[in-house]
Amino acid sequence: MEPLEIAELLKKRFPGQVIEIKESRNQVGVLVKKGRILEICRWLHDDPRLQFNHLADLCGVDYLGKRDCRFEVVYNLYSIPLRHRIRIRAQVPEEDCKIDSVTSIWMGANWHERECYDLFGIEFVGHPDLRRILLPEGWEGHPLRKDYPLDGGGKNWSGYEEIRKKAKDLRQFDFYGDYPDPTKEKELKDVAGKDGEYGQ
Amino acid sequence: MENMDNNQRPFEPYEIQMGPQHPATHGVLKLDLELDGETVIGCKPTVGFLHRGVEKLSENLTYAQALPLTDRLDYIASMANNVVYSNAVETLLGIEVPERAKFIRTMVMEMARITGHLLWLATHALDIGAMTVFLYCFREREQLLDLFEEVCGARLTTTYTCIGGVRQDVTGHFLETLYKFTEEFPSRVREYETLIDQNRIWLKRTQGVGIVSKEDAVSLGLTGPSLRASGVDYDVRKHLPFDAYSEVEFEVPIGKKGDVYDRYRCRMEELLQSNRIIKQCIEKLPPGPIRADDSPDLVMPFSKKCVTADATFKSGVIKLVEDRKHYMEGDVYVSGECPKGELGFYFVSDGKGRPYRMHIRSPSYIHIGALPFLCKGQMVADVIAIIGSLDVVLGECDR
Amino acid sequence: MEILWILLKIVIVFAVLMVHVMYATYFERKVIGHMQVRMGPMRVGPHGILQPIADGLKLFFKEDVIPEQADKGVFYAAPLICLISALSAVAVVPFFKGFAIANINIGLLYIFAMSSLAAYGVVLAGWSSNSKYPFLGGLRSSAQVISYEIAMGLSLVGVMMMAGSLNLTDIVMAQSKSAFKVYLIPQFIGFFVFVIAMFAETNRTPFDLPEAESELVAGYCTEYSGMRFALFFMAEYIGMIVMSCVGVVCFLGGWNGPFDVPGIPFFWFILKVYLFIFLYYWVRATLPRYRYDQLMALGWKVLIPLALFNIVLTGTIKSIVG
């Protein structure tokens, strides 16, 4: 089925949910409200005319300052038996950063959603195990948001500081004795000034 | 009676951490296994040890600048990543690639598939304990890597394609050597098969292990040979042909049961099919340009003054790219069949020279996500076989 | 004088054995290397001939790391148990006519006893490391060695019945008087079971589960380093040599050969032992590894019934023929 036809079908089946149908480079994206996303996906998956059984991709997009609704969750769907595809984009506003999880439809959505939660901070309601995945537990902020600084804000992750401290404590067992911390360059220079060379 | 009850401790699973430094987890994958004897009752993968933030990085680079980052995704077959990335950007920008470049891309992509599958076979066999296959596979992989070096100067991080074509044309010597390779490669594949294919221990270790049904495989999002071994006919090269795949003949091997052995068989068949495709590409390679006329590229700024200040240097480079007329707003999702499975790039463009958002759909990430499902109820030794049979690369998984 | 002579014999055998252990590693790396289209060690000395010495030096000077949580006494003792039990088994092997350090009447049983003691070393190493992978390796090893001990013992019962003795020298003598000159032909079922059990007993591929590299990192010796690790390594190779000796004595006619080589009475013995060792390497380069449950199934469901059948068959034929 042609993607535009699918979009029209979707619009007919869920009136009021479809905000916009947009075609770019022969690919059709349907912008929907997030409220009934689970139903929409269930219908796309189960309907014999559509059979979107392959969730190719799920990701978040941050439109900070570009659109009224800050986040979008994008579902790229493909039907292996019928060989057609469509893209569903669900709006997720910043103040209500939640959307229903689709893990009950595609098991593979599990890790996609965890990644989206990790990097965008979008909460997936009904997800079986919503934890950070690529970043360590206890990371502050969500890096793929547009207001997250590229250099990480000049602050180290607390876990890294801990490890560094541990490594420093373990230096006493080092064969070459306690050598100065390379991260404290300023102190190093002082030492060098006094003794003429780096202390060993 | 009471005393006895007190003595009976509640059942506690034996927990072991497999990885991130373990010989058989193919990189820095960590699995928290819960064991009952030798049987796995729980499996929790932890990834992210190799997370480099490729997606965030590429938001601040031009399309051409982000290309080398794709080398570092699936570093075993980086050519394939290059090709899929370039395809995606070209779809977004609406650039038509010349015919010769398409054939060259198909050729190098299949070469990358062979190198990827050879490394998979080598490590998979080594995990199960067959050591000799490992070195036999590297013998052929080395030949292909030398060819990569000849065509683009690098063995692993190739960056061979560029947006709108390929960087350099292939030489006659390259084609001759490659043709010679394709002539003898089927006999090499037979050689690997003599070592393990009919081996009773190999069959015992692989058949009936890690079975995943058709429906589950699709639902889990498995792609590539891992999906096809379960009997699902889904190959991006056939379903949504890119480059010159519509012009070459090949078959897509399909498995039946979806166990480790079927995945092994599928990949072995693919080796031969890839070989066939390369041969056809060499025979059909048309003359002509290798790059589209309107392709943007990373061009060095002309005046030396620009190089001194960092900011100007950057803008000098980007200028040429951003001046293009038809950067369009919108989004595309383009995928290609990589050795590991379906590698997809989702681009959102706001009409500027850099991707507003790039998302990489990496097959390894999804495959590792399917591990808990596959490993439940298997034995410790099977977990190794299953990881091997899914063919995961952590560089691609963690991005 | 008698004691001095025995001590001298012990020193000679020990020295020769150690050289053979060293060069068994070199031989292994060369053989497997050439099977895998590569050269093996080439750097130290011509064709890497000094490689074992370099390895020994390296292991000797490596830092000896002992885990803090380990059960120290047992941790120290485990590799020694392995090595000593493997070494003591050599005492009863007749290398040529009239040459055995101890020509005792229960030689075969003594070798079994010693090789089962070696399992203690492995189990204790796994236990005392107080670490998870070694523990699993130790568990696997104890189950494996106990199961295959039975199969191996039973497979040799046929030989004992035919020779009518447990003394290794007597077994060789009896063989040279038998119809085929070797027990390999009448006892082929026993030989088959023995060879498989031999691989399992020495934890070699395809039964190297206790130290399965890809699953359990290094199994029971994960926490060992330096010389302690080398002791395990040496014990494994001595175990291989001892098992090969048993195979040669019981099935291949010991020191006897088609003709006598003047001046070298142990020529045929060494040659046959190296045939067995080559078999070890050949199998290692060829076969994948068994899974734990498959290994147990093979031991209990195939090898032990086969060995029992062999005993019945041997007994029947012996009673009919004579």
Side-chain angles (χ1 to χ4, degrees):
Chain A
M1 206 183 284
E2 285 303 308
L4 273 174
E5 286 176 51
I6 299 166
E8 290 303 324
L9 262 178
L10 180 67
K11 201 172 181 179
K12 226 185 279 167
R13 175 70 177 76
F14 294 95
Q17 292 295 313
V18 176
I19 300 166
E20 173 197 41
I21 297 171
K22 196 179 151 205
E23 191 180 3
S24 64
R25 301 288 172 204
N26 298 326
Q27 299 186 3
V28 173
V30 184
L31 189 64
V32 298
K33 289 177 187 161
K34 68 162 189 172
R36 292 173 71 188
I37 187 72
L38 193 59
E39 280 175 60
I40 293 173
C41 287
R42 172 66 68 191
W43 176 73
L44 286 167
H45 180 269
D46 290 347
D47 194 290
R49 289 167 298 175
L50 305 172
Q51 296 185 36
F52 282 106
N53 55 358
H54 179 50
L55 174 73
D57 192 18
L58 188 159
C59 69
V61 185
D62 180 5
Y63 288 107
L64 180 67
K66 284 197 178 272
R67 296 187 187 172
D68 299 337
C69 184
R70 183 170 171 187
F71 296 109
E72 273 178 19
V73 175
V74 184
Y75 305 82
N76 277 298
L77 305 177
Y78 186 74
S79 164
I80 292 171
L82 301 176
R83 302 196 175 196
H84 53 218
R85 61 175 166 180
I86 195 150
R87 178 158 51 243
I88 307 291
R89 291 152 54 212
Q91 284 188 329
V92 181
E94 190 178 4
E95 49 280 3
D96 181 26
C97 213
K98 277 180 197 164
I99 189 165
D100 284 338
S101 163
V102 294
T103 40
S104 55
I105 303 167
W106 299 283
M107 278 192 272
N110 187 329
W111 276 33
H112 280 306
E113 287 178 352
R114 271 179 74 183
E115 183 195 335
C116 191
Y117 165 75
D118 189 0
L119 302 177
F120 283 95
I122 299 170
E123 200 182 318
F124 288 86
V125 182
H127 189 283
D129 182 26
L130 200 62
R131 289 177 293 129
R132 282 188 182 274
I133 184 158
L134 290 173
L135 304 177
E137 298 282 333
W139 190 275
E140 280 172 35
H142 302 282
L144 276 184
R145 289 188 174 193
K146 286 286 174 187
D147 52 5
Y148 190 90
L150 187 60
D151 59 356
K155 211 170 60 176
N156 283 330
W157 170 52
S158 57
Y160 174 64
E161 297 290 347
E162 238 168 70
I163 290 166
R164 225 167 60 175
K165 200 177 154 286
K166 232 185 238 171
K168 207 179 160 190
D169 294 344
L170 286 173
R171 285 233 176 95
Q172 55 170 309
F173 299 110
D174 202 306
F175 191 71
Y176 298 105
D178 191 18
Y179 52 82
D181 189 349
T183 50
K184 288 177 187 158
E185 217 162 289
K186 195 161 172 282
E187 287 172 31
L188 259 180
K189 271 174 196 155
D190 293 346
V191 173
K194 249 180 251 164
D195 300 327
E197 56 177 359
Y198 291 143
Q200 274 240 338
Chain B
M1 266 323 268
E2 254 185 46
N3 264 336
M4 271 188 70
D5 280 344
N6 284 341
N7 285 339
Q8 270 177 357
R9 289 244 222 99
F11 169 71
E12 266 179 50
Y14 187 70
E15 287 171 11
I16 60 170
Q17 290 186 5
M18 200 176 260
Q21 288 172 9
H22 187 278
T25 50
H26 294 224
V28 281
L29 167 66
K30 181 180 158 214
L31 293 176
D32 292 321
L33 297 178
E34 288 180 350
L35 303 181
D36 177 9
E38 287 248 343
T39 314
V40 177
I41 51 174
C43 166
K44 243 195 227 164
T46 309
V47 297
F49 294 97
L50 212 55
H51 182 59
R52 292 147 297 179
V54 170
E55 291 169 16
K56 182 82 176 172
L57 277 175
S58 55
E59 283 175 16
N60 298 279
L61 298 170
T62 64
Y63 290 108
Q65 280 173 326
L67 180 62
L69 293 180
T70 62
D71 288 339
R72 278 86 180 161
L73 294 178
D74 176 2
Y75 41 75
I76 288 159
S78 40
M79 278 287 191
N81 305 334
N82 294 162
V83 172
V84 177
Y85 176 84
S86 309
N87 273 333
V89 176
E90 283 148 13
T91 314
L92 180 71
L93 307 186
I95 296 170
E96 187 58 34
V97 183
E99 200 65 2
R100 186 176 172 85
K102 276 187 181 175
F103 271 93
I104 294 175
R105 279 186 184 185
T106 312
M107 197 158 71
V108 293
M109 185 145 180
E110 291 308 315
M111 282 165 74
R113 192 181 316 281
I114 292 181
T115 54
H117 281 359
L118 282 180
L119 192 96
W120 156 80
L121 178 63
T123 50
H124 184 40
L126 189 67
D127 288 348
I128 294 185
M131 214 166 87
T132 303
V133 188
F134 180 76
L135 286 131
Y136 277 36
C137 290
F138 266 79
R139 185 182 53 190
E140 272 72 57
R141 187 177 141 85
E142 207 59 22
Q143 292 179 4
L144 281 180
L145 292 185
D146 284 347
L147 284 173
F148 278 161
E149 193 177 3
E150 190 175 332
V151 78
C152 66
R155 286 154 58 85
L156 292 173
T157 49
T158 50
T159 321
Y160 178 53
T161 63
C162 64
I163 291 147
V166 294
R167 248 172 236 291
Q168 293 106 19
D169 205 348
V170 291
T171 57
H173 177 257
F174 171 83
L175 291 178
E176 265 169 40
T177 325
L178 187 59
Y179 195 79
K180 241 181 252 163
F181 175 82
T182 56
E183 290 279 282
E184 71 175 31
F185 187 61
S187 68
R188 300 293 191 185
V189 175
R190 233 158 283 136
E191 201 173 290
Y192 312 144
E193 284 175 350
T194 52
L195 273 169
I196 46 180
D197 206 33
Q198 298 297 320
N199 191 318
R200 276 178 62 88
I201 302 177
W202 179 267
L203 296 183
K204 270 191 168 177
R205 285 295 306 275
T206 53
Q207 281 182 337
V209 172
I211 296 178
V212 52
S213 71
K214 231 175 175 176
E215 291 73 29
D216 286 338
V218 176
S219 176
L220 283 167
L222 300 186
T223 44
S226 312
L227 176 69
R228 291 193 285 275
S230 300
V232 184
D233 182 11
Y234 175 54
D235 188 323
V236 185
R237 291 175 295 174
K238 285 278 186 198
H239 275 233
L240 303 157
F242 50 97
D243 289 331
Y245 279 109
S246 48
E247 293 167 53
V248 290
E249 276 175 28
F250 64 101
E251 280 153 31
V252 178
I254 307 284
K256 285 196 190 85
K257 278 201 308 214
D259 54 3
V260 173
Y261 182 73
D262 276 6
R263 273 168 241 153
Y264 154 75
R265 276 310 321 163
C266 268
R267 288 203 175 87
M268 291 307 268
E269 288 300 320
E270 272 189 18
L271 279 175
L272 294 173
Q273 295 299 332
S274 296
N275 194 51
R276 212 173 129 196
I277 296 173
I278 293 176
K279 221 172 184 176
Q280 290 177 48
C281 282
I282 297 174
E283 279 158 4
K284 290 185 182 171
L285 190 66
I290 52 157
R291 200 185 293 179
D293 296 334
D294 55 348
S295 67
D297 199 3
L298 186 76
V299 181
M300 292 308 283
F302 44 87
S303 93
K304 215 175 174 189
K305 208 169 69 189
C306 302
V307 186
T308 49
D310 199 15
T312 3
F313 168 64
K314 272 188 190 161
S315 61
V317 174
I318 294 155
K319 192 97 179 82
L320 283 162
V321 186
E322 283 182 344
D323 272 351
R324 283 178 53 80
K325 290 288 171 287
H326 55 266
Y327 274 109
M328 43 108 45
E329 278 189 70
D331 49 352
V332 287
Y333 172 76
V334 176
S335 61
E337 185 74 17
C338 276
K340 310 275 178 291
E342 177 188 346
L343 177 71
F345 285 92
Y346 175 65
F347 282 110
V348 178
S349 166
D350 57 350
K352 295 208 179 90
R354 305 159 189 225
Y356 184 73
R357 165 97 170 97
M358 176 174 98
H359 183 253
I360 303 163
R361 183 248 192 250
S362 56
S364 296
Y365 184 73
I366 313 298
H367 287 178
I368 293 173
L371 267 183
F373 179 86
L374 283 163
C375 290
K376 209 159 224 175
Q378 307 281 352
M379 304 192 87
V380 182
D382 292 337
V383 173
I384 304 299
I386 291 168
I387 297 174
S389 75
L390 286 179
D391 193 13
V392 293
V393 167
L394 270 290
E396 185 181 58
C397 169
D398 295 347
R399 280 156 291 163
Chain C
M1 267 327 272
E2 186 76 353
I3 286 178
L4 272 181
W5 173 231
I6 289 174
L7 278 178
L8 189 67
K9 271 208 258 188
I10 290 175
V11 169
I12 291 170
V13 169
F14 181 75
V16 172
L17 187 73
M18 276 307 162
V19 172
H20 277 278
V21 166
M22 271 165 71
Y23 277 89
T25 63
Y26 173 74
F27 184 48
E28 171 167 29
R29 291 168 72 174
K30 274 289 181 193
V31 166
I32 293 182
H34 283 279
M35 282 177 180
Q36 295 172 341
V37 289
R38 59 193 173 91
M39 299 299 285
M42 286 296 281
R43 295 284 165 180
V44 191
H47 283 265
I49 197 89
L50 300 175
Q51 184 70 41
I53 295 164
D55 282 345
L57 278 177
K58 181 194 79 178
L59 285 168
F60 200 77
F61 286 113
K62 276 235 163 161
E63 187 183 356
D64 184 22
V65 182
I66 296 151
E68 209 173 332
Q69 298 292 315
D71 187 341
K72 302 251 170 16
V74 185
F75 192 82
Y76 294 147
L80 290 176
I81 295 175
C82 267
L83 185 70
I84 290 170
S85 54
L87 271 175
S88 353
V90 183
V92 293
V93 177
F95 293 100
F96 53 91
K97 199 170 183 179
F99 187 91
I101 295 171
N103 190 9
I104 52 174
N105 284 331
I106 49 159
L108 213 48
L109 279 185
Y110 174 78
I111 284 183
F112 284 153
M114 284 302 144
S115 73
S116 350
L117 264 182
Y120 276 98
V122 174
V123 175
L124 290 176
W127 175 259
S128 65
S129 298
N130 211 347
S131 169
K132 299 203 169 182
Y133 284 107
F135 179 64
L136 270 181
L139 275 185
R140 280 181 172 190
S141 167
S142 54
Q144 176 181 332
V145 172
I146 290 165
S147 324
Y148 279 77
E149 193 81 3
I150 299 169
M152 181 173 237
L154 291 177
S155 74
L156 289 172
V157 169
V159 172
M160 297 171 198
M161 286 163 82
M162 288 185 75
S165 170
L166 282 173
N167 185 316
L168 293 173
T169 313
D170 288 355
I171 291 176
V172 178
M173 301 293 227
Q175 265 182 86
S176 60
K177 283 180 203 125
S178 72
F180 296 101
K181 301 286 178 203
V182 286
Y183 281 164
L184 172 63
I185 299 158
Q187 285 291 327
F188 64 95
I189 302 176
F191 183 71
F192 173 74
V193 175
F194 172 79
V195 167
I196 295 176
M198 172 178 96
F199 281 101
E201 190 75 11
T202 45
N203 295 338
R204 297 286 298 185
T205 330
F207 306 106
D208 57 344
L209 297 153
E211 46 187 314
E213 191 199 335
S214 55
E215 295 150 31
L216 301 185
V217 191
Y220 58 86
C221 47
T222 306
E223 302 289 353
Y224 282 87
S225 55
M227 211 49 211
R228 279 177 220 289
F229 173 73
L231 290 185
F232 276 119
F233 209 69
M234 268 147 63
E236 185 181 324
Y237 278 81
I238 296 169
M240 272 164 64
I241 291 176
V242 168
M243 281 301 151
S244 307
C245 290
V246 174
V248 170
V249 166
C250 293
F251 292 101
L252 296 184
W255 62 79
N256 291 316
F259 56 89
D260 279 341
V261 180
I264 322 173
F266 45 82
F267 175 81
W268 292 107
F269 191 88
I270 300 280
L271 188 75
K272 288 169 188 172
V273 166
Y274 269 92
L275 272 180
F276 265 102
I277 288 179
F278 179 75
L279 183 70
Y280 271 113
Y281 302 156
W282 190 5
V283 168
R284 188 181 161 198
T286 314
L287 292 183
R289 185 182 302 117
Y290 263 104
R291 203 171 66 198
Y292 182 65
D293 57 330
Q294 291 164 351
L295 169 103
M296 297 309 262
L298 179 75
W300 289 96
K301 292 184 188 161
V302 180
L303 294 186
I304 292 177
L306 255 181
L308 286 172
F309 171 72
N310 183 44
I311 294 169
V312 174
L313 196 72
T314 313
T316 317
I317 292 174
K318 208 171 150 65
S319 65
I320 292 168
V321 175

